[in-house]
Amino acid sequence: MAQALAAAKDTRSLEIGSKILRKAPEIFRQQFGSKPAVIVADTNTFEAAGRNVHEAFDQNNQCLEPFIYSDPNLYAEYKFVEELQESLKSHEAIPVAVGSGTINDLTKLAAHDVGRPYMCVATAASMDGYTAFGASITQSGSKQTFFCPAPRAIVADLDIITAAPGDMNSWGYTDLVAKVTAGADWMLSDAMGAEPVHAEAWKIIQPGLRELIADPAGVPARRLQSISLLVEGLMLAGFAMQAATNSRAASGAEHQFSHLWDMQHHAHNGKAPSHGFKVGIGTLAITALYEYMLEQPIEKLDVEACCAAWPDEVTLLTLVRERFSHGDLTVVALQESRAKWVSRDELRDQLKKLRAIWPTLKEQLRQQLLPFDELKSMLSKAGAPVEPEEIGISRERLRESFWLSYFMRRRITVLDLAVRTNLLDRGLEHIFGRDGRWPIASARMQ
């Protein structure tokens, strides 16, 4: 952690420990001197920790009146960024975000847009965005990552985080486990000549990942040591994103499923499932696809047949429009699909190189990945859903989501490997077939 913090581009101070909430003013002064602070929270996080933090600051007359979001439907949407921006423009105080994913991302972007750094007090181990470069915000119906710096300082009181309501820490555990498939996708992208692995970012999160996710049952049991490891892992993932200055270090195809369902405004039992739980189902889905792909003799791939099946640009745009009916989704899919499209000559060169390195790459990917059954057991022990129906996604919809997710992001992942080798449809037949991971009823009756 000390090495990761030393290498961080934005964050200069991170305090993780028990009963450290009232250290926030001291840490603030170390980073911002005598500048005033303003607490940013929602009604829940203000009661959980914000009031105590505000009172600690107020003892030194260093805090303005808190900015508290009262909308019960608060989420990471750009209109809430604008609301905070307008408030920040009325004074010069440094924002102190007290909350988790939504509060942190809203504050991160609003502070950046008014030219100010900020500090964060974490209230749950629910996601990896605390120390991350960038904020994930919905604008014009599209989930987007806005470039903005991570917080200058972070306080993570383990007593507050361990007591986080409901399944919030389980959300974070699934987000941390997703770094397994995200790492495999980055290795694959590097091998395909698309996006090289950033050595420093990789070193921050991947070598110790297995240890950090080794006690899934300890998360819902609220064991302090398990929560401490979880917090450490999520902070390291954010530092890795700082090092790489993008989300590649912590996000692969599994996150594309979550972003797709966000943009489809998916709800289950009247509300949107958590980011972490959507990512968890995406991680299982991508692991199932990887297991299929790693059994294929790609070292014997018929490159010319793959090139013949590859669409030209006009055909690609037609395929996208056939798959998407929602206007905003179609616009994003067209833009992202164009960005990663290659000519048949480029594809031929890429697949020939892939064919030559596949025996070695296949073994490296196997070493990186967790077996599907082991991953499913870990997520279940952590209190996370392991079947798509548990978050309101039917198996038919999950199957279609593989193709839709492929079109939604220019990032090269195992989805692109399957499409470029002309194996995705066959892989889906296997995954959702009678003997697959998620047999669809019609397949079970065959």
Side-chain angles (χ1 to χ4, degrees), residues 303-313 315-316 319 337 340-348 350-351 403 406 416 418-422:
V303 171
E304 293 307 318
C306 294
C307 291
W310 185 247
D312 58 27
E313 268 195 282
T315 305
L316 171 68
L319 290 172
S337 299
K340 66 180 177 182
W341 181 84
V342 295
S343 69
R344 286 180 178 173
D345 286 340
E346 291 172 310
L347 178 66
R348 181 178 292 106
Q350 185 181 75
L351 293 181
W403 268 108
Y406 159 73
D416 298 270
V419 171
R420 294 185 185 201
T421 56
N422 205 24

Side-chain angles (χ1 to χ4, degrees), residues 1 27 45 55 73 104 114 130 143 147 196 298 344 407 418:
M1 182 65 77
I27 294 166
T45 63
E55 289 173 356
N73 298 312
N104 185 54
V114 298
Y130 288 116
K143 193 80 167 183
F147 280 16
I298 293 176
R344 286 180 178 173
F407 286 119

